[in-house]
mmCIF file with all atom_site columns, all heavy atoms in Angstrom:
data_model
loop_
_atom_site.group_PDB
_atom_site.id
_atom_site.type_symbol
_atom_site.label_atom_id
_atom_site.label_alt_id
_atom_site.label_comp_id
_atom_site.label_asym_id
_atom_site.label_entity_id
_atom_site.label_seq_id
_atom_site.pdbx_PDB_ins_code
_atom_site.Cartn_x
_atom_site.Cartn_y
_atom_site.Cartn_z
_atom_site.occupancy
_atom_site.B_iso_or_equiv
_atom_site.pdbx_formal_charge
_atom_site.auth_seq_id
_atom_site.auth_comp_id
_atom_site.auth_asym_id
_atom_site.auth_atom_id
_atom_site.pdbx_PDB_model_num
ATOM 1   N N   . PRO Y 1 27  ? -44.238 4.893  -37.083 1.00 95.00 ? 27  PRO Y N   1
ATOM 2   C CA  . PRO Y 1 27  ? -45.653 4.938  -36.752 1.00 95.00 ? 27  PRO Y CA  1
ATOM 3   C C   . PRO Y 1 27  ? -46.289 6.290  -37.119 1.00 95.00 ? 27  PRO Y C   1
ATOM 4   O O   . PRO Y 1 27  ? -45.568 7.292  -37.198 1.00 95.00 ? 27  PRO Y O   1
ATOM 5   C CB  . PRO Y 1 27  ? -45.722 4.693  -35.246 1.00 95.00 ? 27  PRO Y CB  1
ATOM 6   C CG  . PRO Y 1 27  ? -44.334 4.883  -34.760 1.00 95.00 ? 27  PRO Y CG  1
ATOM 7   C CD  . PRO Y 1 27  ? -43.392 4.732  -35.885 1.00 95.00 ? 27  PRO Y CD  1
ATOM 8   N N   . SER Y 1 28  ? -47.588 6.283  -37.342 1.00 94.00 ? 28  SER Y N   1
ATOM 9   C CA  . SER Y 1 28  ? -48.254 7.517  -37.785 1.00 94.00 ? 28  SER Y CA  1
ATOM 10  C C   . SER Y 1 28  ? -48.846 8.302  -36.634 1.00 94.00 ? 28  SER Y C   1
ATOM 11  O O   . SER Y 1 28  ? -49.310 9.445  -36.859 1.00 94.00 ? 28  SER Y O   1
ATOM 12  C CB  . SER Y 1 28  ? -49.338 7.197  -38.816 1.00 94.00 ? 28  SER Y CB  1
ATOM 13  O OG  . SER Y 1 28  ? -50.267 6.260  -38.242 1.00 94.00 ? 28  SER Y OG  1
ATOM 14  N N   . TYR Y 1 29  ? -48.866 7.791  -35.439 1.00 95.00 ? 29  TYR Y N   1
ATOM 15  C CA  . TYR Y 1 29  ? -49.239 8.580  -34.254 1.00 95.00 ? 29  TYR Y CA  1
ATOM 16  C C   . TYR Y 1 29  ? -48.789 7.794  -33.050 1.00 95.00 ? 29  TYR Y C   1
ATOM 17  O O   . TYR Y 1 29  ? -48.366 6.615  -33.165 1.00 95.00 ? 29  TYR Y O   1
ATOM 18  C CB  . TYR Y 1 29  ? -50.751 8.859  -34.158 1.00 95.00 ? 29  TYR Y CB  1
ATOM 19  C CG  . TYR Y 1 29  ? -51.612 7.621  -34.027 1.00 95.00 ? 29  TYR Y CG  1
ATOM 20  C CD1 . TYR Y 1 29  ? -51.959 7.159  -32.764 1.00 95.00 ? 29  TYR Y CD1 1
ATOM 21  C CD2 . TYR Y 1 29  ? -52.083 6.950  -35.134 1.00 95.00 ? 29  TYR Y CD2 1
ATOM 22  C CE1 . TYR Y 1 29  ? -52.750 6.022  -32.632 1.00 95.00 ? 29  TYR Y CE1 1
ATOM 23  C CE2 . TYR Y 1 29  ? -52.845 5.835  -34.999 1.00 95.00 ? 29  TYR Y CE2 1
ATOM 24  C CZ  . TYR Y 1 29  ? -53.210 5.363  -33.757 1.00 95.00 ? 29  TYR Y CZ  1
ATOM 25  O OH  . TYR Y 1 29  ? -53.958 4.223  -33.607 1.00 95.00 ? 29  TYR Y OH  1
ATOM 26  N N   . TYR Y 1 31  ? -48.848 8.035  -28.280 1.00 95.00 ? 31  TYR Y N   1
ATOM 27  C CA  . TYR Y 1 31  ? -49.566 8.471  -27.105 1.00 95.00 ? 31  TYR Y CA  1
ATOM 28  C C   . TYR Y 1 31  ? -48.710 9.339  -26.199 1.00 95.00 ? 31  TYR Y C   1
ATOM 29  O O   . TYR Y 1 31  ? -47.465 9.212  -26.213 1.00 95.00 ? 31  TYR Y O   1
ATOM 30  C CB  . TYR Y 1 31  ? -50.067 7.279  -26.310 1.00 95.00 ? 31  TYR Y CB  1
ATOM 31  C CG  . TYR Y 1 31  ? -51.111 6.526  -27.099 1.00 95.00 ? 31  TYR Y CG  1
ATOM 32  C CD1 . TYR Y 1 31  ? -50.739 5.485  -27.998 1.00 95.00 ? 31  TYR Y CD1 1
ATOM 33  C CD2 . TYR Y 1 31  ? -52.443 6.851  -26.985 1.00 95.00 ? 31  TYR Y CD2 1
ATOM 34  C CE1 . TYR Y 1 31  ? -51.706 4.846  -28.744 1.00 95.00 ? 31  TYR Y CE1 1
ATOM 35  C CE2 . TYR Y 1 31  ? -53.403 6.197  -27.722 1.00 95.00 ? 31  TYR Y CE2 1
ATOM 36  C CZ  . TYR Y 1 31  ? -53.027 5.201  -28.581 1.00 95.00 ? 31  TYR Y CZ  1
ATOM 37  O OH  . TYR Y 1 31  ? -53.979 4.574  -29.337 1.00 95.00 ? 31  TYR Y OH  1
ATOM 38  N N   . GLU Y 1 105 ? -56.727 0.866  -27.496 1.00 95.00 ? 105 GLU Y N   1
ATOM 39  C CA  . GLU Y 1 105 ? -57.532 0.980  -28.731 1.00 95.00 ? 105 GLU Y CA  1
ATOM 40  C C   . GLU Y 1 105 ? -58.733 0.066  -28.698 1.00 95.00 ? 105 GLU Y C   1
ATOM 41  O O   . GLU Y 1 105 ? -59.064 -0.588 -29.688 1.00 95.00 ? 105 GLU Y O   1
ATOM 42  C CB  . GLU Y 1 105 ? -56.636 0.787  -29.982 1.00 95.00 ? 105 GLU Y CB  1
ATOM 43  C CG  . GLU Y 1 105 ? -55.420 1.747  -29.940 1.00 95.00 ? 105 GLU Y CG  1
ATOM 44  C CD  . GLU Y 1 105 ? -54.754 1.973  -31.258 1.00 95.00 ? 105 GLU Y CD  1
ATOM 45  O OE1 . GLU Y 1 105 ? -55.222 1.428  -32.287 1.00 95.00 ? 105 GLU Y OE1 1
ATOM 46  O OE2 . GLU Y 1 105 ? -53.795 2.788  -31.295 1.00 95.00 ? 105 GLU Y OE2 1
ATOM 47  N N   . HIS Y 1 177 ? -65.466 7.939  -37.570 1.00 91.00 ? 177 HIS Y N   1
ATOM 48  C CA  . HIS Y 1 177 ? -64.162 8.502  -37.259 1.00 91.00 ? 177 HIS Y CA  1
ATOM 49  C C   . HIS Y 1 177 ? -63.509 7.895  -36.023 1.00 91.00 ? 177 HIS Y C   1
ATOM 50  O O   . HIS Y 1 177 ? -62.367 8.239  -35.692 1.00 91.00 ? 177 HIS Y O   1
ATOM 51  C CB  . HIS Y 1 177 ? -64.291 10.031 -37.038 1.00 91.00 ? 177 HIS Y CB  1
ATOM 52  C CG  . HIS Y 1 177 ? -64.860 10.728 -38.200 1.00 91.00 ? 177 HIS Y CG  1
ATOM 53  N ND1 . HIS Y 1 177 ? -64.241 10.810 -39.432 1.00 91.00 ? 177 HIS Y ND1 1
ATOM 54  C CD2 . HIS Y 1 177 ? -66.026 11.443 -38.309 1.00 91.00 ? 177 HIS Y CD2 1
ATOM 55  C CE1 . HIS Y 1 177 ? -65.009 11.489 -40.270 1.00 91.00 ? 177 HIS Y CE1 1
ATOM 56  N NE2 . HIS Y 1 177 ? -66.072 11.902 -39.603 1.00 91.00 ? 177 HIS Y NE2 1
ATOM 57  N N   . GLY Y 1 178 ? -64.240 7.022  -35.331 1.00 91.00 ? 178 GLY Y N   1
ATOM 58  C CA  . GLY Y 1 178 ? -63.775 6.512  -34.058 1.00 91.00 ? 178 GLY Y CA  1
ATOM 59  C C   . GLY Y 1 178 ? -62.683 5.433  -34.194 1.00 91.00 ? 178 GLY Y C   1
ATOM 60  O O   . GLY Y 1 178 ? -62.930 4.261  -33.920 1.00 91.00 ? 178 GLY Y O   1
ATOM 61  N N   . HIS Y 1 179 ? -61.521 5.801  -34.651 1.00 91.00 ? 179 HIS Y N   1
ATOM 62  C CA  . HIS Y 1 179 ? -60.420 4.830  -34.713 1.00 91.00 ? 179 HIS Y CA  1
ATOM 63  C C   . HIS Y 1 179 ? -59.114 5.582  -34.829 1.00 91.00 ? 179 HIS Y C   1
ATOM 64  O O   . HIS Y 1 179 ? -59.079 6.824  -34.874 1.00 91.00 ? 179 HIS Y O   1
ATOM 65  C CB  . HIS Y 1 179 ? -60.627 3.931  -35.965 1.00 91.00 ? 179 HIS Y CB  1
ATOM 66  C CG  . HIS Y 1 179 ? -60.479 4.646  -37.264 1.00 91.00 ? 179 HIS Y CG  1
ATOM 67  N ND1 . HIS Y 1 179 ? -59.288 4.763  -37.924 1.00 91.00 ? 179 HIS Y ND1 1
ATOM 68  C CD2 . HIS Y 1 179 ? -61.370 5.382  -37.958 1.00 91.00 ? 179 HIS Y CD2 1
ATOM 69  C CE1 . HIS Y 1 179 ? -59.457 5.479  -39.012 1.00 91.00 ? 179 HIS Y CE1 1
ATOM 70  N NE2 . HIS Y 1 179 ? -60.706 5.892  -39.051 1.00 91.00 ? 179 HIS Y NE2 1
ATOM 71  N N   . GLY Y 1 180 ? -58.021 4.875  -34.796 1.00 91.00 ? 180 GLY Y N   1
ATOM 72  C CA  . GLY Y 1 180 ? -56.700 5.444  -35.039 1.00 91.00 ? 180 GLY Y CA  1
ATOM 73  C C   . GLY Y 1 180 ? -56.347 6.548  -34.060 1.00 91.00 ? 180 GLY Y C   1
ATOM 74  O O   . GLY Y 1 180 ? -56.438 6.369  -32.842 1.00 91.00 ? 180 GLY Y O   1
ATOM 75  N N   . LYS Y 1 181 ? -55.984 7.691  -34.606 1.00 92.00 ? 181 LYS Y N   1
ATOM 76  C CA  . LYS Y 1 181 ? -55.435 8.761  -33.773 1.00 92.00 ? 181 LYS Y CA  1
ATOM 77  C C   . LYS Y 1 181 ? -56.464 9.288  -32.770 1.00 92.00 ? 181 LYS Y C   1
ATOM 78  O O   . LYS Y 1 181 ? -56.108 9.927  -31.747 1.00 92.00 ? 181 LYS Y O   1
ATOM 79  C CB  . LYS Y 1 181 ? -54.937 9.909  -34.676 1.00 92.00 ? 181 LYS Y CB  1
ATOM 80  C CG  . LYS Y 1 181 ? -54.235 10.980 -33.853 1.00 92.00 ? 181 LYS Y CG  1
ATOM 81  C CD  . LYS Y 1 181 ? -53.248 11.755 -34.677 1.00 92.00 ? 181 LYS Y CD  1
ATOM 82  C CE  . LYS Y 1 181 ? -52.584 12.775 -33.793 1.00 92.00 ? 181 LYS Y CE  1
ATOM 83  N NZ  . LYS Y 1 181 ? -53.079 14.144 -34.032 1.00 92.00 ? 181 LYS Y NZ  1
ATOM 84  N N   . PHE Y 1 183 ? -57.980 7.677  -30.673 1.00 95.00 ? 183 PHE Y N   1
ATOM 85  C CA  . PHE Y 1 183 ? -57.677 7.033  -29.372 1.00 95.00 ? 183 PHE Y CA  1
ATOM 86  C C   . PHE Y 1 183 ? -56.674 7.852  -28.615 1.00 95.00 ? 183 PHE Y C   1
ATOM 87  O O   . PHE Y 1 183 ? -56.731 7.941  -27.364 1.00 95.00 ? 183 PHE Y O   1
ATOM 88  C CB  . PHE Y 1 183 ? -57.194 5.618  -29.575 1.00 95.00 ? 183 PHE Y CB  1
ATOM 89  C CG  . PHE Y 1 183 ? -58.261 4.644  -30.030 1.00 95.00 ? 183 PHE Y CG  1
ATOM 90  C CD1 . PHE Y 1 183 ? -58.195 4.058  -31.270 1.00 95.00 ? 183 PHE Y CD1 1
ATOM 91  C CD2 . PHE Y 1 183 ? -59.298 4.340  -29.156 1.00 95.00 ? 183 PHE Y CD2 1
ATOM 92  C CE1 . PHE Y 1 183 ? -59.201 3.186  -31.673 1.00 95.00 ? 183 PHE Y CE1 1
ATOM 93  C CE2 . PHE Y 1 183 ? -60.302 3.468  -29.567 1.00 95.00 ? 183 PHE Y CE2 1
ATOM 94  C CZ  . PHE Y 1 183 ? -60.241 2.862  -30.816 1.00 95.00 ? 183 PHE Y CZ  1
ATOM 95  N N   . ARG R 2 24  ? -42.241 1.485  -31.739 1.00 92.00 ? 24  ARG R N   1
ATOM 96  C CA  . ARG R 2 24  ? -43.620 1.372  -32.208 1.00 92.00 ? 24  ARG R CA  1
ATOM 97  C C   . ARG R 2 24  ? -44.457 2.488  -31.665 1.00 92.00 ? 24  ARG R C   1
ATOM 98  O O   . ARG R 2 24  ? -44.168 3.084  -30.666 1.00 92.00 ? 24  ARG R O   1
ATOM 99  C CB  . ARG R 2 24  ? -44.204 0.017  -31.717 1.00 92.00 ? 24  ARG R CB  1
ATOM 100 C CG  . ARG R 2 24  ? -43.656 -1.203 -32.406 1.00 92.00 ? 24  ARG R CG  1
ATOM 101 C CD  . ARG R 2 24  ? -44.007 -2.451 -31.631 1.00 92.00 ? 24  ARG R CD  1
ATOM 102 N NE  . ARG R 2 24  ? -45.372 -2.423 -31.095 1.00 92.00 ? 24  ARG R NE  1
ATOM 103 C CZ  . ARG R 2 24  ? -46.455 -2.774 -31.819 1.00 92.00 ? 24  ARG R CZ  1
ATOM 104 N NH1 . ARG R 2 24  ? -46.322 -3.223 -33.036 1.00 92.00 ? 24  ARG R NH1 1
ATOM 105 N NH2 . ARG R 2 24  ? -47.644 -2.745 -31.248 1.00 92.00 ? 24  ARG R NH2 1
ATOM 106 N N   . GLY R 2 25  ? -45.581 2.773  -32.403 1.00 92.00 ? 25  GLY R N   1
ATOM 107 C CA  . GLY R 2 25  ? -46.484 3.841  -31.938 1.00 92.00 ? 25  GLY R CA  1
ATOM 108 C C   . GLY R 2 25  ? -47.379 3.361  -30.844 1.00 92.00 ? 25  GLY R C   1
ATOM 109 O O   . GLY R 2 25  ? -47.666 4.071  -29.864 1.00 92.00 ? 25  GLY R O   1
ATOM 110 N N   . GLY R 2 26  ? -47.933 2.101  -30.982 1.00 91.00 ? 26  GLY R N   1
ATOM 111 C CA  . GLY R 2 26  ? -48.855 1.597  -29.999 1.00 91.00 ? 26  GLY R CA  1
ATOM 112 C C   . GLY R 2 26  ? -48.118 1.181  -28.742 1.00 91.00 ? 26  GLY R C   1
ATOM 113 O O   . GLY R 2 26  ? -46.910 1.006  -28.736 1.00 91.00 ? 26  GLY R O   1
ATOM 114 N N   . VAL R 2 30  ? -50.206 -3.958 -27.661 1.00 89.00 ? 30  VAL R N   1
ATOM 115 C CA  . VAL R 2 30  ? -51.419 -3.486 -28.344 1.00 89.00 ? 30  VAL R CA  1
ATOM 116 C C   . VAL R 2 30  ? -51.177 -3.499 -29.854 1.00 89.00 ? 30  VAL R C   1
ATOM 117 O O   . VAL R 2 30  ? -50.153 -3.039 -30.331 1.00 89.00 ? 30  VAL R O   1
ATOM 118 C CB  . VAL R 2 30  ? -51.736 -2.048 -27.902 1.00 89.00 ? 30  VAL R CB  1
ATOM 119 C CG1 . VAL R 2 30  ? -52.946 -1.505 -28.666 1.00 89.00 ? 30  VAL R CG1 1
ATOM 120 C CG2 . VAL R 2 30  ? -51.957 -1.975 -26.389 1.00 89.00 ? 30  VAL R CG2 1
ATOM 121 N N   . GLN R 2 31  ? -52.142 -4.053 -30.570 1.00 90.00 ? 31  GLN R N   1
ATOM 122 C CA  . GLN R 2 31  ? -52.105 -4.055 -32.020 1.00 90.00 ? 31  GLN R CA  1
ATOM 123 C C   . GLN R 2 31  ? -52.647 -2.682 -32.469 1.00 90.00 ? 31  GLN R C   1
ATOM 124 O O   . GLN R 2 31  ? -53.844 -2.528 -32.636 1.00 90.00 ? 31  GLN R O   1
ATOM 125 C CB  . GLN R 2 31  ? -52.947 -5.207 -32.585 1.00 90.00 ? 31  GLN R CB  1
ATOM 126 C CG  . GLN R 2 31  ? -52.795 -5.428 -34.059 1.00 90.00 ? 31  GLN R CG  1
ATOM 127 C CD  . GLN R 2 31  ? -51.391 -5.846 -34.435 1.00 90.00 ? 31  GLN R CD  1
ATOM 128 O OE1 . GLN R 2 31  ? -50.762 -6.650 -33.728 1.00 90.00 ? 31  GLN R OE1 1
ATOM 129 N NE2 . GLN R 2 31  ? -50.855 -5.277 -35.529 1.00 90.00 ? 31  GLN R NE2 1
ATOM 130 N N   . SER R 2 32  ? -51.755 -1.714 -32.645 1.00 91.00 ? 32  SER R N   1
ATOM 131 C CA  . SER R 2 32  ? -52.232 -0.343 -32.875 1.00 91.00 ? 32  SER R CA  1
ATOM 132 C C   . SER R 2 32  ? -52.293 -0.017 -34.347 1.00 91.00 ? 32  SER R C   1
ATOM 133 O O   . SER R 2 32  ? -51.448 -0.464 -35.134 1.00 91.00 ? 32  SER R O   1
ATOM 134 C CB  . SER R 2 32  ? -51.276 0.636  -32.177 1.00 91.00 ? 32  SER R CB  1
ATOM 135 O OG  . SER R 2 32  ? -51.588 1.935  -32.540 1.00 91.00 ? 32  SER R OG  1
ATOM 136 N N   . GLU R 2 33  ? -53.305 0.765  -34.683 1.00 92.00 ? 33  GLU R N   1
ATOM 137 C CA  . GLU R 2 33  ? -53.391 1.252  -36.087 1.00 92.00 ? 33  GLU R CA  1
ATOM 138 C C   . GLU R 2 33  ? -52.199 2.115  -36.457 1.00 92.00 ? 33  GLU R C   1
ATOM 139 O O   . GLU R 2 33  ? -51.896 2.314  -37.628 1.00 92.00 ? 33  GLU R O   1
ATOM 140 C CB  . GLU R 2 33  ? -54.662 2.113  -36.209 1.00 92.00 ? 33  GLU R CB  1
ATOM 141 C CG  . GLU R 2 33  ? -55.862 1.398  -36.785 1.00 92.00 ? 33  GLU R CG  1
ATOM 142 C CD  . GLU R 2 33  ? -57.005 2.346  -36.987 1.00 92.00 ? 33  GLU R CD  1
ATOM 143 O OE1 . GLU R 2 33  ? -56.885 3.224  -37.849 1.00 92.00 ? 33  GLU R OE1 1
ATOM 144 O OE2 . GLU R 2 33  ? -58.014 2.232  -36.263 1.00 92.00 ? 33  GLU R OE2 1
ATOM 145 N N   . ALA R 2 34  ? -51.554 2.686  -35.411 1.00 92.00 ? 34  ALA R N   1
ATOM 146 C CA  . ALA R 2 34  ? -50.424 3.576  -35.674 1.00 92.00 ? 34  ALA R CA  1
ATOM 147 C C   . ALA R 2 34  ? -49.274 2.857  -36.387 1.00 92.00 ? 34  ALA R C   1
ATOM 148 O O   . ALA R 2 34  ? -48.505 3.450  -37.106 1.00 92.00 ? 34  ALA R O   1
ATOM 149 C CB  . ALA R 2 34  ? -49.897 4.139  -34.341 1.00 92.00 ? 34  ALA R CB  1
ATOM 150 N N   . ASP R 2 35  ? -49.206 1.533  -36.151 1.00 92.00 ? 35  ASP R N   1
ATOM 151 C CA  . ASP R 2 35  ? -48.096 0.757  -36.704 1.00 92.00 ? 35  ASP R CA  1
ATOM 152 C C   . ASP R 2 35  ? -48.438 0.064  -38.012 1.00 92.00 ? 35  ASP R C   1
ATOM 153 O O   . ASP R 2 35  ? -47.671 -0.730 -38.546 1.00 92.00 ? 35  ASP R O   1
ATOM 154 C CB  . ASP R 2 35  ? -47.601 -0.264 -35.662 1.00 92.00 ? 35  ASP R CB  1
ATOM 155 C CG  . ASP R 2 35  ? -47.115 0.453  -34.414 1.00 92.00 ? 35  ASP R CG  1
ATOM 156 O OD1 . ASP R 2 35  ? -46.263 1.337  -34.561 1.00 92.00 ? 35  ASP R OD1 1
ATOM 157 O OD2 . ASP R 2 35  ? -47.613 0.144  -33.309 1.00 92.00 ? 35  ASP R OD2 1
ATOM 158 N N   . ALA R 2 36  ? -49.692 0.342  -38.516 1.00 91.00 ? 36  ALA R N   1
ATOM 159 C CA  . ALA R 2 36  ? -50.064 -0.256 -39.802 1.00 91.00 ? 36  ALA R CA  1
ATOM 160 C C   . ALA R 2 36  ? -49.095 0.222  -40.872 1.00 91.00 ? 36  ALA R C   1
ATOM 161 O O   . ALA R 2 36  ? -48.736 1.394  -40.892 1.00 91.00 ? 36  ALA R O   1
ATOM 162 C CB  . ALA R 2 36  ? -51.500 0.147  -40.129 1.00 91.00 ? 36  ALA R CB  1
ATOM 163 N N   . PRO R 2 37  ? -48.698 -0.649 -41.797 1.00 89.00 ? 37  PRO R N   1
ATOM 164 C CA  . PRO R 2 37  ? -47.772 -0.190 -42.844 1.00 89.00 ? 37  PRO R CA  1
ATOM 165 C C   . PRO R 2 37  ? -48.483 0.798  -43.730 1.00 89.00 ? 37  PRO R C   1
ATOM 166 O O   . PRO R 2 37  ? -49.673 0.766  -43.916 1.00 89.00 ? 37  PRO R O   1
ATOM 167 C CB  . PRO R 2 37  ? -47.437 -1.481 -43.579 1.00 89.00 ? 37  PRO R CB  1
ATOM 168 C CG  . PRO R 2 37  ? -48.541 -2.419 -43.236 1.00 89.00 ? 37  PRO R CG  1
ATOM 169 C CD  . PRO R 2 37  ? -49.046 -2.041 -41.896 1.00 89.00 ? 37  PRO R CD  1
ATOM 170 N N   . ARG R 2 614 ? -44.236 9.657  -38.170 1.00 94.00 ? 614 ARG R N   1
ATOM 171 C CA  . ARG R 2 614 ? -44.565 10.462 -39.366 1.00 94.00 ? 614 ARG R CA  1
ATOM 172 C C   . ARG R 2 614 ? -46.028 10.810 -39.238 1.00 94.00 ? 614 ARG R C   1
ATOM 173 O O   . ARG R 2 614 ? -46.917 10.054 -39.530 1.00 94.00 ? 614 ARG R O   1
ATOM 174 C CB  . ARG R 2 614 ? -44.269 9.689  -40.667 1.00 94.00 ? 614 ARG R CB  1
ATOM 175 C CG  . ARG R 2 614 ? -44.712 8.259  -40.671 1.00 94.00 ? 614 ARG R CG  1
ATOM 176 C CD  . ARG R 2 614 ? -44.698 7.631  -42.040 1.00 94.00 ? 614 ARG R CD  1
ATOM 177 N NE  . ARG R 2 614 ? -45.295 6.280  -41.950 1.00 94.00 ? 614 ARG R NE  1
ATOM 178 C CZ  . ARG R 2 614 ? -46.605 6.055  -42.067 1.00 94.00 ? 614 ARG R CZ  1
ATOM 179 N NH1 . ARG R 2 614 ? -47.418 7.013  -42.361 1.00 94.00 ? 614 ARG R NH1 1
ATOM 180 N NH2 . ARG R 2 614 ? -47.065 4.818  -41.929 1.00 94.00 ? 614 ARG R NH2 1
ATOM 181 N N   . SER R 2 665 ? -62.343 10.213 -43.683 1.00 45.00 ? 665 SER R N   1
ATOM 182 C CA  . SER R 2 665 ? -62.000 9.065  -42.845 1.00 45.00 ? 665 SER R CA  1
ATOM 183 C C   . SER R 2 665 ? -60.498 8.888  -42.749 1.00 45.00 ? 665 SER R C   1
ATOM 184 O O   . SER R 2 665 ? -59.988 8.236  -41.819 1.00 45.00 ? 665 SER R O   1
ATOM 185 C CB  . SER R 2 665 ? -62.626 7.801  -43.373 1.00 45.00 ? 665 SER R CB  1
ATOM 186 O OG  . SER R 2 665 ? -62.219 7.609  -44.731 1.00 45.00 ? 665 SER R OG  1
ATOM 187 N N   . ASP R 2 668 ? -56.092 12.569 -40.174 1.00 45.00 ? 668 ASP R N   1
ATOM 188 C CA  . ASP R 2 668 ? -55.634 12.116 -38.849 1.00 45.00 ? 668 ASP R CA  1
ATOM 189 C C   . ASP R 2 668 ? -55.455 13.216 -37.846 1.00 45.00 ? 668 ASP R C   1
ATOM 190 O O   . ASP R 2 668 ? -55.101 13.001 -36.709 1.00 45.00 ? 668 ASP R O   1
ATOM 191 C CB  . ASP R 2 668 ? -54.283 11.404 -39.017 1.00 45.00 ? 668 ASP R CB  1
ATOM 192 C CG  . ASP R 2 668 ? -54.478 9.952  -39.364 1.00 45.00 ? 668 ASP R CG  1
ATOM 193 O OD1 . ASP R 2 668 ? -55.526 9.406  -38.946 1.00 45.00 ? 668 ASP R OD1 1
ATOM 194 O OD2 . ASP R 2 668 ? -53.629 9.416  -40.011 1.00 45.00 ? 668 ASP R OD2 1
#
Side-chain angles (χ1 to χ4, degrees):
Chain Y
S28 55
Y29 63 92
Y31 294 87
E105 308 201 359
H177 302 297
H179 66 94
K181 186 155 181 255
F183 288 114
Chain R
R24 286 165 42 84
V30 177
Q31 189 63 42
S32 172
E33 264 184 67
D35 300 307
R614 44 167 187 88
S665 57
D668 275 332

